[in-house]
Amino acid sequence: MSKHEKAFTSTDEVDPDLLRRTEAAFLKFMAENDGKMPTQQQINESIRTSFTRLGPVFRIVKERLLAMQTKLANMPEVPEGLRLAHEQMLHNMWARTRELQNSEIVDLRRAQTAKDDSHRREVAEMQEIIAKIEADRNGQEVRANVAEKEAAALRERLDAAVTELAAATARLAERDAIFAMLMPQRGVDAQSDRLDACAAKPAKSSRRG
């Protein structure tokens, strides 16, 4: 690489946002294509900028990734002890995660059980209230039926009493009419009796003399 190329590809001369987006597009393409490096055309399909701006950034990102791949390829294998320690640590983390998860599940089940018990109590209380209301309603219906029957009996008795009163009133009126017809005759008979009494008194006086 020449001096001119080094200066041209300096990260101080590129847009940081464009650099970030280009690197993200690189990694995405490589992840979707088994680590294969993309071309500028393929990257520009995601970045959508001019090749003049993309060219220097493309080279910077590509050099970074190639350097990283080279460094990884030259790294020695992971020591057995470190690998086992890592696996043990991972196993412990997983066991702890399962323990916490199980604890959360137990807490959730307890909370759900408590909620279910509370719901059952509320339903039982509501059913008890409904049963009481229905019993009161049935009792009121019975009382209403009894009262209606009593009212009907009273109406029948009232109708009978009114009929009897009308009959008694008719009989009384008939009797008064009979008395009215008999009153003049009684007056004449009483006057005749008084005259007879007056006529009989002198006769008694003459006999005494």
Side-chain angles (χ1 to χ4, degrees), residues 59-101:
R59 285 191 293 273
I60 291 172
V61 174
K62 185 174 182 179
E63 288 173 1
R64 284 181 179 177
L65 293 176
L66 288 174
M68 184 179 296
Q69 288 179 350
T70 302
K71 191 177 294 185
L72 290 174
N74 293 330
M75 287 182 65
E77 293 292 329
V78 178
E80 183 67 15
L82 181 60
R83 186 181 62 80
L84 292 175
H86 178 72
E87 290 179 357
Q88 184 62 37
M89 182 178 66
L90 183 61
H91 176 75
N92 293 339
M93 290 177 61
W94 178 248
R96 179 59 179 164
T97 302
R98 291 291 303 274
E99 182 181 349
L100 293 174
Q101 185 179 20

Side-chain angles (χ1 to χ4, degrees), residues 23-35:
E23 187 172 359
F26 248 93
L27 296 174
K28 183 174 183 293
F29 182 90
M30 293 174 68
E32 294 174 352
N33 294 274
D34 296 327

Side-chain angles (χ1 to χ4, degrees), residues 39-146:
T39 64
Q40 287 194 40
Q41 178 65 35
Q42 291 168 333
I43 291 297
N44 202 30
E45 290 177 1
S46 299
I47 301 302
R48 298 186 181 280
T49 185
S50 66
F51 285 99
T52 302
R53 296 183 67 235
L54 180 61
V57 179
F58 182 87
R59 285 191 293 273
I60 291 172
V61 174
K62 185 174 182 179
E63 288 173 1
R64 284 181 179 177
L65 293 176
L66 288 174
M68 184 179 296
Q69 288 179 350
T70 302
K71 191 177 294 185
L72 290 174
N74 293 330
M75 287 182 65
E77 293 292 329
V78 178
E80 183 67 15
L82 181 60
R83 186 181 62 80
L84 292 175
H86 178 72
E87 290 179 357
Q88 184 62 37
M89 182 178 66
L90 183 61
H91 176 75
N92 293 339
M93 290 177 61
W94 178 248
R96 179 59 179 164
T97 302
R98 291 291 303 274
E99 182 181 349
L100 293 174
Q101 185 179 20
N102 291 336
S103 178
E104 290 179 357
I105 291 174
V106 170
D107 291 340
L108 288 174
R109 285 178 177 172
R110 288 176 180 172
Q112 187 62 41
T113 301
K115 185 183 292 185
D116 293 341
D117 292 341
S118 177
H119 179 69
R120 280 193 291 269
R121 286 194 298 270
E122 290 178 357
V123 171
E125 290 175 357
M126 292 179 65
Q127 289 177 344
E128 184 177 353
I129 292 172
I130 292 172
K132 184 177 180 181
I133 292 174
E134 289 179 347
D136 292 342
R137 183 197 62 190
N138 293 336
Q140 291 176 0
E141 289 180 354
V142 171
R143 289 191 293 272
N145 292 334
V146 172

Side-chain angles (χ1 to χ4, degrees), residues 180-191:
M181 286 188 294
L182 294 176
M183 284 299 293
Q185 184 63 34
R186 286 183 178 180
V188 172
D189 293 341
Q191 186 177 5

